[in-house]
Amino acid sequence: MSWYRNTVWFVKGLREYTRGGYESASRHFNPADVEVDVAGRSFLVTGANSGIGKATAKEIARRGGTVHLVCRNKERAEVAKEEIVTETGNQNIFLHIVDISNPKEIWKFAEKFQNEHKLNVLINNAGCMVNNRELTEDGLEKNFATNTLGTYIMTTALLPLLEKAADARVITVSSGGMLVQKLNVSDLQSGNGPFDGTMVYAQNKRQQVVLTEQWAKAHRNIHFSVMHPGWADTPAVRSSMPDFYERMKNWLRTEVQGADTVLWLAVSAEATKLPSGLFFQDRQAVPTHLPLAYTHSPPEDEEKLMQMLEEFSQKFKSVSPG
């Protein structure tokens, strides 16, 4: 069945996820949806020093929003912040150095952030695709630590702040690659069998979709969404998927095109007219499963994922200051 999923997904990708797919879809966009003034609203973007994260942060800054850039590399982050301030004229750009693969750091950051700032919109964009199995200093598989546990902790830790906000939103940048994966809660850290970084990443992205659906049920005052940016020309794609990049580089979307739906979900009034918990592509809610792909998971597996992530997160919270 995996060959079927992969083939259908790739054919779908050639049609929809490339630059041509974006250009076709964008003919139906309403430009007014994102021509808005968001001055006075606060946005936090993880992984904001390059790629889709930086493009999103820049577009929000152009619209007057206060933007908190959460980045791992201080040097690259400072360059990105300076670029955003210079190009947009918006001085309300704040930088926070946090490694999203380090759960203790996230808890510590979130505790401090809640005491000092307000937050209307959280954009979980940080991610990684490590092609060989690596463990963090906490003994966590790096893709899982960043893409799944890091996203879970950042969101969970900031929920109390978001619950207080007007028109609060959480947007998570996933991937269409998740369509080839069924949720697997038996091996969250990919320790069994051969390690395939691309499939581990896709599994993490499936987990993000499940997280979004579960959060939407539990937190009715916040609008949750998860999205696929399409196949975009970003530093992460070039470094993590060099063969794919070489084959597809002439058809990849720009970073701004990849960020378009993130921006739309973050600032438009239209986005929150749709139900919370949906998966988006090019400003449209789309199915989270391919036809006949058998990737649906039983409710008990989805509940088990939430339970396991909560147990992981509390373990690391207990050793953080405060």
Side-chain angles (χ1 to χ4, degrees), residues 263-281:
L263 178 70
W264 183 82
L265 289 166
V267 306
S268 78
E270 294 303 307
T272 52
K273 292 178 183 176
L274 295 164
S276 182
L278 298 180
F279 179 64
F280 288 84
Q281 174 190 315

Side-chain angles (χ1 to χ4, degrees), residues 114-115 117-120 158-168 221-222:
Q114 288 187 82
N115 292 330
H117 304 282
K118 71 168 193 172
L119 182 63
N120 299 94
L158 293 174
L159 281 173
L161 194 57
L162 288 160
E163 292 278 10
K164 300 174 190 173
D167 187 15
N221 296 331
I222 301 170

Side-chain angles (χ1 to χ4, degrees), residues 69-231:
L69 313 175
V70 174
C71 307
R72 180 174 55 86
N73 184 292
K74 188 171 188 291
E75 185 177 323
R76 289 203 296 266
E78 286 174 344
V79 171
K81 176 187 173 182
E82 184 61 33
E83 180 184 323
I84 292 168
V85 170
T86 301
E87 290 191 22
T88 68
N90 187 338
Q91 299 295 320
N92 294 317
I93 312 298
F94 300 91
L95 184 57
H96 311 272
I97 305 303
V98 185
D99 183 348
I100 302 298
S101 73
N102 185 321
K104 294 187 287 291
E105 268 191 40
I106 302 172
W107 279 118
K108 185 177 179 181
F109 158 75
E111 184 178 346
K112 186 171 187 289
F113 188 90
Q114 288 187 82
N115 292 330
E116 298 176 356
H117 304 282
K118 71 168 193 172
L119 182 63
N120 299 94
V121 181
L122 167 62
I123 299 171
N124 290 309
N125 167 75
C128 71
M129 184 192 294
V130 178
N131 290 309
N132 296 303
R133 193 171 189 273
E134 291 180 23
L135 300 183
T136 68
E137 63 183 41
D138 297 304
L140 299 168
E141 190 277 315
K142 196 162 189 179
N143 293 292
F144 167 77
T146 306
N147 302 326
T148 301
L149 185 60
T151 296
Y152 178 86
I153 295 178
M154 182 65 77
T155 304
T156 301
L158 293 174
L159 281 173
L161 194 57
L162 288 160
E163 292 278 10
K164 300 174 190 173
D167 187 15
R169 311 182 189 193
V170 175
I171 299 125
T172 299
V173 178
S174 182
S175 166
M178 67 91 192
L179 291 167
V180 306
Q181 286 285 310
K182 178 179 179 178
L183 179 67
N184 176 12
V185 294
S186 67
D187 187 22
L188 288 183
Q189 300 203 61
S190 310
N192 301 331
F195 186 89
D196 181 334
T198 304
M199 289 300 103
V200 170
Y201 177 83
Q203 174 65 208
N204 295 160
K205 295 301 174 177
R206 169 63 70 188
Q207 292 161 359
Q208 290 178 342
V209 170
V210 173
L211 287 178
T212 298
E213 293 168 346
Q214 295 297 311
W215 283 327
K217 293 176 188 174
H219 304 279
R220 304 286 183 171
N221 296 331
I222 301 170
H223 191 270
F224 291 88
S225 55
V226 59
M227 59 78 66
H228 174 37
W231 295 341

